[in-house]
């Protein structure tokens, strides 16, 4: 029992149903893995999930066409050789139903469900300075407490609806037929065949949904405000023979992901954009455009991310590809972004997206020309005409990164509100700690390495670091830790500095905190949400902190605070 107590397990002195050593908020990819690491240490911990089951983004996003844009075999967890040997990815880019089955398989295999509580919406989390604990209040009326609070809230888990007359903030509208955000797509089948469907939004989610819905609907009308640059996914099945080859290569695959900036198996070209001829560059782009996945984005010349001339040349190449694929030249031009270059914000991967607009049952409404005025009981009224629909789908994005935090009343030492501290954008240490909020760790939080990389690859780096920190706390008998204010300031300034080198800083996307549906997130403002230094550089920095015994973190214990240590 001594070892268990060292690791923070319940020693019988607290109510095990209400008081924990660790509480994790969120049972998605990050929360599942963090719970695995705590469970193997015997830590008295629980996971609180507001959904009715685990899975995070793969539980909520059930819309047609939803799937990985990371290669499946690079997305799965790498921590268990046995799991890698057992699981057969059936597609190069796996779809939502299979992804959810995978996460359930992991939870069952490692018996993690016993630690999870579902239908648990956390309304508030306040740090009790006197007790050195976090006090959580749940929507079901319960009050829980813990020594250490870990958030696994997800990057895109707070959906937003458009600011249109007839739509409320919570998504309720005056439309008499079914309508919902893609994030809230029902678990039960939605009848699309023979229906008149509207999709509002052409971001990454909209691009996937539009292509799938266009194949089924009697008529699909797409309402586009700003187009995005997209690239072909080139999905395919993975045969048992190919999966066997992948299993034999897993060590090499994960090693490659670990050394690439994005955590994918796509490694940037380092020969230099200006060191090769325009003909050579175009030949390379033709090759990348015909290959699966993010190669055209991540395996390209590094200069496309910070050199205006290089980016403009690539953007012109992609624009020509769009013109080749869309029959109507007027529609093609509407689908080509004019306000940003290719790759400076999130690039949606698509399957026959552009060809969807060649279908006779698909129409595009340009909201720059004829904006939506209101939602009506029977459809959508624009400045030009009224459209009748049977179903309205809102693919209108998320209050990215900090939105899920804003929906919980986090209060740190002295009652400081996290929403106040982050009012103008996140301020963190390593994207995982916040000064003034003791014993709080944000897995894949804003400004962490997870936010701009192949998500599970970043997740595993973050969870391993957090678990190492917790081991350090328990081994040394500490009960409280907090990031140093100077270290936090230094890290946040470093994140800002990395933006200054990137063309991304000029883009209106969630990487810069842009969202016209949220006050303070409109054009002209920038929030430094992601770390642009790349996964290897991020890992080196957090490893330096750990190897230095966390000198940038202040530790204390109850005994020390009482003057008896």
């Amino acid at each position: 029992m001594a070892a268990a107590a060292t690791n923070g397990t319940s020693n019988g002195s607290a109510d095990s149903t209400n008081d924990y050593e660790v509480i994790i908020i969120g049972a998605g990819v990050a929360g599942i893995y963090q719970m695995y690491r705590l469970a193997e240490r015997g830590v008295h911990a629980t996971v609180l999930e507001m959904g009715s089951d685990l899975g995070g983004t793969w539980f909520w996003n059930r819309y047609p066409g939803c799937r990985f844009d990371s290669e499946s075999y690079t997305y799965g967890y790498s921590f268990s050789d046995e799991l890698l040997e057992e699981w057969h990815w059936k597609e190069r880019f796996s779809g939502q139903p299979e992804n959810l089955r995978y996460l359930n398989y992991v939870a069952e295999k490692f018996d993690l469900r016993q630690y999870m509580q579902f239908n648990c919406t956390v309304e508030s989390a306040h740090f009790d300075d006197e007790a050195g604990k976090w006090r959580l209040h749940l929507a079901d009326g319960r009050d829980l407490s813990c020594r250490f609070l870990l958030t696994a809230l997800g990057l895109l888990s707070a959906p937003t609806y458009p600011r249109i007359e007839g739509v409320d903030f919570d998504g309720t509208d005056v439309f008499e037929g079914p309508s919902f955000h893609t994030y809230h797509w029902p678990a039960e089948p939605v009848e699309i065949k023979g229906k008149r469907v509207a999709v509002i939004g052409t971001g990454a989610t909209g691009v996937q949904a539009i292509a799938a819905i266009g194949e089924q609907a009697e008529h699909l009308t797409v309402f586009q405000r700003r187009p995005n640059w997209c690239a072909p996914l080139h999905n395919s099945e993975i045969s048992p023979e190919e999966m066997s080859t992948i299993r034999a290569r897993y060590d090499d695959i994960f090693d490659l992901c670990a050394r690439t900036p994005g955590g994918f198996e796509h490694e940037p070209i380092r020969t230099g954009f200006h060191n090769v001829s325009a003909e050579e560059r175009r030949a390379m782009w033709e090759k990348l455009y015909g290959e699966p996945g993010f190669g055209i984005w991540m395996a390209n010349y590094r200069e496309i991310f910070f050199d205006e001339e290089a980016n403009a040349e690539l953007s012109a190449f992609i624009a020509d590809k769009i013109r080749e694929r869309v029959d109507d030249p007027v529609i093609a031009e509407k689908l080509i972004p004019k306000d940003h270059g290719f790759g400076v914000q999130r690039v949606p991967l698509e399957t026959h997206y552009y060809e969807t607009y060649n279908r006779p049952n698909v129409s595009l409404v340009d909201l720059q020309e004829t904006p939506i005025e209101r939602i009506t009981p029977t459809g959508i009224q624009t400045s030009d005409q009224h459209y009748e629909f049977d179903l309205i789908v809102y693919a209108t994005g998320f209050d990215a990164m900090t939105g899920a935090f804003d929906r919980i009343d986090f209060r740190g030492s002295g009652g400081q509100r996290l929403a106040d501290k982050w009012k103008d954008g996140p301020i963190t240490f390593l994207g995982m700690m916040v000064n003034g909020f003791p014993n709080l760790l944000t897995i894949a939080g804003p400004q962490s390495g997870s936010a701009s990389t192949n998500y599970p690859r970043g997740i595993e780096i973050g969870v391993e670091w957090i678990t190492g920190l917790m081991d350090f706390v328990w081994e040394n008998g500490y009960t409280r830790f907090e990031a140093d204010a100077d270290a936090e300031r230094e890290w946040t300034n470093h994140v800002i500095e990395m933006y200054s080198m990137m063309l991304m800083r000029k883009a209106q996307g969630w990487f810069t905190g842009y969202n016209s549906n949220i006050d303070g997130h409109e054009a002209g403002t920038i929030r430094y949400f992601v770390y642009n230094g790349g996964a290897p550089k991020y890992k080196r920095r957090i490893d330096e902190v750990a190897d230095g015994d966390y000198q940038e973190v202040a530790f204390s214990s109850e005994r020390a605070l009482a003057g008896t240590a």
Side-chain angles (χ1 to χ4, degrees):
M1 292 301 294
T6 300
N7 282 344
T9 56
S10 173
N11 58 13
S13 61
D15 181 355
S16 61
T17 62
N18 293 311
D19 186 76
Y20 298 86
E21 181 72 359
V22 178
I23 289 179
I24 302 168
I25 306 177
V29 177
I32 289 170
Y33 184 44
Q34 184 65 75
M35 188 62 246
Y36 169 81
R37 285 302 182 201
L38 296 178
E40 70 176 355
R41 284 159 170 75
V43 177
H44 182 45
T46 192
V47 182
L48 304 179
E49 167 57 50
M50 72 174 182
S52 60
D53 208 341
L54 60 83
T57 190
W58 303 112
F59 171 82
W60 293 102
N61 290 279
R62 301 170 184 265
Y63 62 85
C66 181
R67 66 177 58 252
F68 289 155
D69 49 20
S70 307
E71 282 76 5
S72 302
Y73 47 84
T74 73
Y75 190 98
Y77 297 115
S78 69
F79 66 86
S80 167
D81 290 340
E82 192 174 280
L83 176 62
L84 292 171
E85 184 62 31
E86 292 173 353
W87 187 261
H88 177 176
W89 292 107
K90 296 179 176 61
E91 296 179 85
R92 184 170 296 276
F93 302 96
S94 183
Q96 178 272 332
E98 185 73 358
N99 305 341
L100 186 57
R101 278 194 290 272
Y102 171 74
L103 293 176
N104 275 279
Y105 182 85
V106 173
E108 297 295 339
K109 177 177 178 61
F110 298 104
D111 197 20
L112 299 178
R113 279 186 174 276
Q114 62 177 308
Y115 306 108
M116 298 178 180
Q117 303 181 51
F118 302 110
N119 299 305
C120 293
T121 299
V122 179
E123 293 186 335
S124 64
H126 296 176
F127 187 73
D128 183 335
D129 281 293
E130 184 175 347
K133 290 190 174 187
W134 282 93
R135 309 287 187 188
L136 280 63
H137 182 71
L138 276 55
D140 62 15
R142 289 187 297 151
D143 292 300
L144 306 180
S145 62
C146 60
R147 179 72 64 186
F148 306 106
L149 180 60
L150 279 54
T151 63
L153 299 176
L155 310 178
L156 302 172
S157 59
T160 56
Y161 289 85
R163 293 181 176 181
I164 300 172
E165 181 183 339
V167 184
D168 290 335
F169 175 78
D170 63 0
T172 57
D173 59 23
V174 300
F175 183 62
E176 294 174 347
S179 63
F180 36 77
H181 196 283
T182 49
Y183 188 76
H184 293 136
W185 194 280
E188 59 273 11
V190 175
E191 183 61 47
I192 295 175
K193 189 175 182 180
K195 302 295 184 181
R196 299 165 299 172
V197 182
V199 174
I200 303 175
T202 54
T205 294
V207 164
Q208 289 184 331
I210 287 164
I213 292 172
E215 295 178 347
Q216 305 175 53
E218 175 184 315
H219 194 90
L220 167 63
T221 305
V222 177
F223 292 85
Q224 173 185 270
R225 185 184 57 179
R226 295 167 54 240
N228 275 279
W229 295 102
C230 305
L233 182 69
H234 295 307
N235 191 25
S236 60
E237 294 184 357
I238 298 177
S239 68
E241 294 75 21
E242 184 180 1
M243 193 65 224
S244 179
T245 302
I246 289 170
R247 289 193 183 99
R249 294 177 45 238
Y250 263 132
D251 286 347
D252 292 336
I253 290 170
F254 291 128
D255 284 346
L256 176 57
C257 290
R259 69 172 184 261
T260 62
F264 296 93
E265 61 175 359
H266 308 290
E267 199 161 12
I269 302 170
R270 302 184 185 278
T271 54
F273 179 90
H274 298 287
N275 292 333
V276 298
S277 68
E279 291 75 19
E280 288 178 274
R281 292 194 293 267
R282 188 170 186 90
M284 175 58 70
W285 292 337
E286 288 285 359
K287 174 179 177 293
L288 293 175
Y289 196 81
E291 293 178 345
F294 276 132
I296 189 66
W297 188 27
M298 295 292 185
N300 214 310
Y301 300 96
R302 295 171 65 248
E303 287 86 348
I304 68 167
F305 295 105
F306 53 81
D307 183 317
E308 294 274 11
E309 180 183 343
N311 186 270
E313 187 177 315
L314 173 61
S315 298
F317 170 84
I318 302 294
D320 285 343
K321 288 296 183 184
I322 296 172
R323 295 183 183 106
E324 290 173 8
R325 295 174 60 185
V326 179
D327 295 341
D328 186 331
V330 175
I331 297 298
E333 291 306 313
K334 292 180 183 297
L335 296 171
I336 298 172
K338 307 299 193 295
D339 62 345
H340 69 283
F342 179 85
V344 303
Q345 62 187 48
R346 173 70 160 72
V347 176
L349 294 184
E350 47 80 21
T351 300
H352 307 308
Y353 172 67
Y354 292 110
E355 288 76 10
T356 298
Y357 294 97
N358 299 332
R359 300 177 64 95
N361 68 319
V362 176
S363 304
L364 177 68
V365 176
D366 186 343
L367 298 183
Q368 299 290 339
E369 297 176 353
T370 57
I372 294 175
E373 293 184 342
R374 62 185 178 277
I375 304 298
T376 73
T378 59
I380 297 176
Q381 176 70 52
T382 71
S383 61
D384 177 60
Q385 70 179 83
H386 184 266
Y387 297 83
E388 301 275 329
F389 293 111
D390 302 305
L391 169 65
I392 297 178
V393 178
Y394 297 104
T396 47
F398 299 85
D399 186 355
M401 301 298 294
T402 56
F405 288 90
D406 290 341
R407 297 185 181 194
I408 299 174
D409 179 21
F410 285 99
R411 300 193 187 188
S413 185
Q416 180 183 8
R417 298 177 70 246
L418 184 62
D420 291 339
K421 178 161 184 169
W422 286 2
K423 181 180 180 182
D424 298 321
I427 301 169
T428 76
F429 177 54
L430 306 178
M432 293 189 281
M433 305 176 75
V434 183
N435 175 260
F437 293 78
N439 296 2
L440 174 67
L441 290 162
T442 57
I443 312 169
Q447 302 182 344
S448 74
S450 302
S452 56
T453 62
N454 187 0
Y455 194 58
R457 303 283 62 79
I459 283 298
E460 289 191 342
I461 291 171
V463 167
E464 293 298 336
W465 190 87
I466 284 172
T467 304
L469 172 63
M470 298 305 299
D471 286 341
F472 183 84
V473 166
W474 290 318
E475 289 165 3
N476 288 280
Y478 297 129
T479 57
R480 179 168 172 162
F481 61 82
E482 183 176 351
D484 178 76
D486 289 337
E488 178 184 69
R489 191 177 305 110
E490 179 182 345
W491 177 256
T492 301
N493 288 338
H494 174 55
V495 171
I496 293 172
E497 181 184 359
M498 296 304 296
Y499 267 79
S500 68
M501 299 184 289
M502 309 293 287
L503 296 176
M504 174 197 298
R505 70 189 185 279
K506 302 179 180 181
Q508 295 180 12
W510 68 264
F511 280 3
T512 54
Y514 170 78
N515 189 320
S516 63
N517 298 312
I518 306 171
D519 290 333
H521 290 243
E522 301 90 347
T525 65
I526 183 169
R527 291 168 184 265
Y528 302 97
F529 275 170
V530 302
Y531 179 66
N532 288 307
K537 186 173 183 178
Y538 179 77
K539 188 173 187 306
R540 285 196 299 272
R541 177 60 184 130
I542 66 175
D543 285 348
E544 286 173 1
V545 173
D547 293 342
D549 288 340
Y550 311 97
Q551 293 298 309
E552 297 87 345
V553 182
F555 298 93
S556 60
S557 66
E558 291 173 344
R559 290 178 60 204
L561 291 172
T564 59

